[in-house]
Amino acid sequence: MTSLSAERIAAVDVLRGFALFGILLVNMRYFSSPALYAEDVGGSFFDRAVAAAIDLLFEASAYPLFAFLFGFGTAILCHRLRQRGKRPIPILLRRFLLLFVFGAIHAFGLWFGDILIPYALAGLMLLLFMNAPPRWWRTAALAGFFLFHGLVALLLAISMMAGWTGAADGQETEAAAALRHYQSGTFRDVFWQRWHDWLYLNSDGGLLFTLLAVLPFCLLGAYAAKERWLEAERYPAATLRRFMGVALCLGLALKTIPYWARANTLTMYIQDNVGGAVLAVFYAAAAMFVCGKANWRPAWRWLQNAGRMSLTHYLAQSLICTSLFYSYGLGWYGRLNEWQGALLAIGIYAASLWASRRWFARFRFGPVEWLWRWGTYGMRPPFRRQPGQ
């Protein structure tokens, strides 16, 4: 890896800040309703239009960004530890184990839709590549993505030809139980429903599927760090504009497949796992383009501040939303329609942008990032900013 700047890379934090918005919009349905078991969006035409917009623009595009940036940050941290003469593997091992602990607390204490546990497991797998040349990272990322999703798509196509529709029995019963427990159940009811939902998502190979889905993006992110893809002025603005145009057109074409072709398990799989990834490429290029515009800095600085404390915000989103929707809070579960949930997500995200700016006027790290850093290095880092800093 060539020498990397000691400065934070603006596009990385801007991308994290933007991905927080996308992931909140997508997750809001699952925070506020039993959408895990009842995917159909009813209501008015406006509700369906809002759901379609979120589906096309953000569904399955936020998590590839986070996974890519997770691998990116891991490679940079490894490089800088070696520059300081430290052994990176023990430090990274502590970092990933702590992330696993955060994920377990999040999954079983707040919300079942946790992504931190798969990221922690992917991080442990990244350790196997730490001494490998960059081309191994690139080859493993591309091979993992195309072989894994190609195989799954082939199996889905064969299953559909054999008459399998992908429909599961008992979804109405599951949805009714989730509605009852989250809306009006006791704290114990909520805990066991959360546990049940997590197992529904992650048992029978669900956790392995998520791990295999995020790992290629982590590997590609590490390769991007080694090749300095996201550093300022790495690519001319004209090149980025052309790249953005191609990625946007291809991404939207793939994302709209279930709308203009027959909607089934295969087309929806391609929509999310291929189209979502291509659209994520557009967002990454757009972040690089925006950060190359110095006169736009006052605008993208808001996203950058949020991205610097993305782990704190991710956990705070779950804390806020479960407090609003679950019975031990306001009990709004199942009471909001699609556009109301989207409007609430926009409000929460806007508040997080404001809070981030205020926070970094006084502190050096987000609170969870500070704890993570302390546990990673075994030394308490400075928290407050010094006067004039």
mmCIF file of all heavy atoms in Angstrom, residues 9 42 325 343:
data_model
loop_
_atom_site.group_PDB
_atom_site.id
_atom_site.type_symbol
_atom_site.label_atom_id
_atom_site.label_comp_id
_atom_site.label_asym_id
_atom_site.label_seq_id
_atom_site.Cartn_x
_atom_site.Cartn_y
_atom_site.Cartn_z
ATOM 1 N N ILE A 9 -10.482 10.998 5.422
ATOM 2 C CA ILE A 9 -10.894 11.159 4.033
ATOM 3 C C ILE A 9 -12.355 11.584 4.034
ATOM 4 O O ILE A 9 -13.231 10.848 4.503
ATOM 5 C CB ILE A 9 -10.688 9.847 3.262
ATOM 6 C CG1 ILE A 9 -9.200 9.454 3.303
ATOM 7 C CG2 ILE A 9 -11.170 9.982 1.832
ATOM 8 C CD1 ILE A 9 -8.917 8.090 2.726
ATOM 9 N N GLY A 42 -50.103 -1.792 1.848
ATOM 10 C CA GLY A 42 -51.461 -1.386 1.506
ATOM 11 C C GLY A 42 -51.596 0.126 1.528
ATOM 12 O O GLY A 42 -50.659 0.857 1.249
ATOM 13 N N PHE A 325 -42.098 3.063 19.138
ATOM 14 C CA PHE A 325 -43.038 2.075 18.614
ATOM 15 C C PHE A 325 -43.367 0.947 19.581
ATOM 16 O O PHE A 325 -44.455 0.373 19.481
ATOM 17 C CB PHE A 325 -42.493 1.479 17.312
ATOM 18 C CG PHE A 325 -42.411 2.480 16.199
ATOM 19 C CD1 PHE A 325 -41.184 2.868 15.689
ATOM 20 C CD2 PHE A 325 -43.554 3.054 15.676
ATOM 21 C CE1 PHE A 325 -41.103 3.795 14.669
ATOM 22 C CE2 PHE A 325 -43.491 3.981 14.652
ATOM 23 C CZ PHE A 325 -42.251 4.356 14.145
ATOM 24 N N LEU A 343 -41.682 10.209 6.784
ATOM 25 C CA LEU A 343 -41.559 11.563 7.312
ATOM 26 C C LEU A 343 -40.885 11.550 8.680
ATOM 27 O O LEU A 343 -40.036 12.416 8.983
ATOM 28 C CB LEU A 343 -42.941 12.203 7.405
ATOM 29 C CG LEU A 343 -42.987 13.702 7.718
ATOM 30 C CD1 LEU A 343 -42.302 14.497 6.622
ATOM 31 C CD2 LEU A 343 -44.434 14.168 7.879
#
